[in-house]
Amino acid sequence: MASLQKDGHHVCGGTLVNEDFVLSSADCFSSSATASDWTVVLGRLKQNGSNPFEVKLNVTDITLSNHTGSNEAALHLATPAPLSDSILPICVDTGRNFSVGSTCWVAGWSSGAGGVEQVLQEFQTSVVDCEDTSSDSICTEALTLEQGFSGGPLMCRQDGSWFLAGVLVADDKLTTGTSEVQAKSLDVLWLLIFKPQR
């Protein structure tokens, strides 16, 4: 899990997809898509408090998706993320199917959760049928999430590994919790950029 920060304050979540890239929501960059305005913090558990395993990395480039229906933003890190037990990339496989009923998790930080220290929150949910939503979305059971979760992962465990199923979308559903959480499915062309070379 990554904390995307502007001026030293958490704005959105993100997900490390390999040592050089973090994937988030394009909506997080409506105020600024200038790379030098942003920092990525990895290995952080608390927004307020001690984090002995965290690493702060600069961003050299932000690429916003221009594919129809896509909502991804790719942040290119200035230096490779130092991988450890606290900092690991998530698996990405665009051929995976996260069918209705699949158990998944969302994670993120917000001022209204996690107490004074704003500890990273994780919530279990299940994939549900998206009624009235485009085919590039994944919907889950209703959860009460706040804006700080935007850009964070919808992740599902399959075959013993965690896979990124989608990127949480910043909209009223995240702030009200009155209907399904919506995440944009990952774009096949986009993810070819992020797959590690073998």
Side-chain angles (χ1 to χ4, degrees):
M1 183 74 200
S3 173
L4 279 53
Q5 303 206 343
K6 186 176 176 194
D7 300 322
H9 299 285
H10 175 76
V11 176
C12 281
T15 307
L16 186 67
V17 293
N18 70 27
E19 292 176 326
D20 298 310
F21 284 95
V22 168
L23 195 64
S24 188
S25 169
D27 296 337
C28 296
F29 303 94
S30 60
S31 67
S32 171
T34 303
S36 60
D37 290 346
W38 294 87
T39 303
V40 171
V41 181
L42 301 170
R44 175 169 277 191
L45 177 62
K46 306 170 191 172
Q47 288 296 338
N48 298 320
S50 174
N51 293 285
F53 305 111
E54 81 173 32
V55 175
K56 294 182 183 180
L57 300 170
N58 292 324
V59 177
T60 59
D61 187 45
I62 299 173
T63 306
L64 304 177
S65 174
N66 59 4
H67 298 292
T68 303
S70 254
N71 190 47
E72 297 105 22
L75 286 76
H76 189 203
L77 302 175
T79 56
L83 302 183
S84 68
D85 289 341
S86 301
I87 301 172
L88 290 171
I90 197 165
C91 297
V92 178
D93 181 351
T94 57
R96 291 262 164 187
N97 181 22
F98 304 101
S99 59
V100 170
S102 296
T103 300
C104 299
W105 293 78
V106 298
W109 294 274
S110 70
S111 58
V116 174
E117 293 184 323
Q118 294 183 28
V119 176
L120 178 66
Q121 300 293 293
E122 300 172 326
F123 297 100
Q124 182 177 333
T125 188
S126 295
V127 175
V128 297
D129 186 31
C130 291
E131 300 172 6
D132 305 328
T133 315
S134 65
S135 62
D136 68 338
S137 295
I138 297 173
C139 295
T140 71
E141 296 172 325
L143 291 170
T144 301
L145 302 177
E146 294 188 16
Q147 189 66 33
F149 279 76
S150 181
L154 173 65
M155 51 195 161
C156 307
R157 191 170 177 89
Q158 291 184 345
D159 303 325
S161 296
W162 287 99
F163 288 89
L164 185 62
V167 173
L168 297 178
V169 176
D171 64 14
D172 291 341
K173 294 174 184 168
L174 284 178
T175 56
T176 65
T178 57
S179 56
E180 293 93 5
V181 170
Q182 182 181 351
K184 290 294 186 181
S185 300
L186 303 175
D187 188 293
V188 175
L189 296 174
W190 262 69
L191 290 176
L192 291 175
I193 298 169
F194 307 118
K195 287 191 176 179
Q197 301 298 317
R198 296 177 194 229

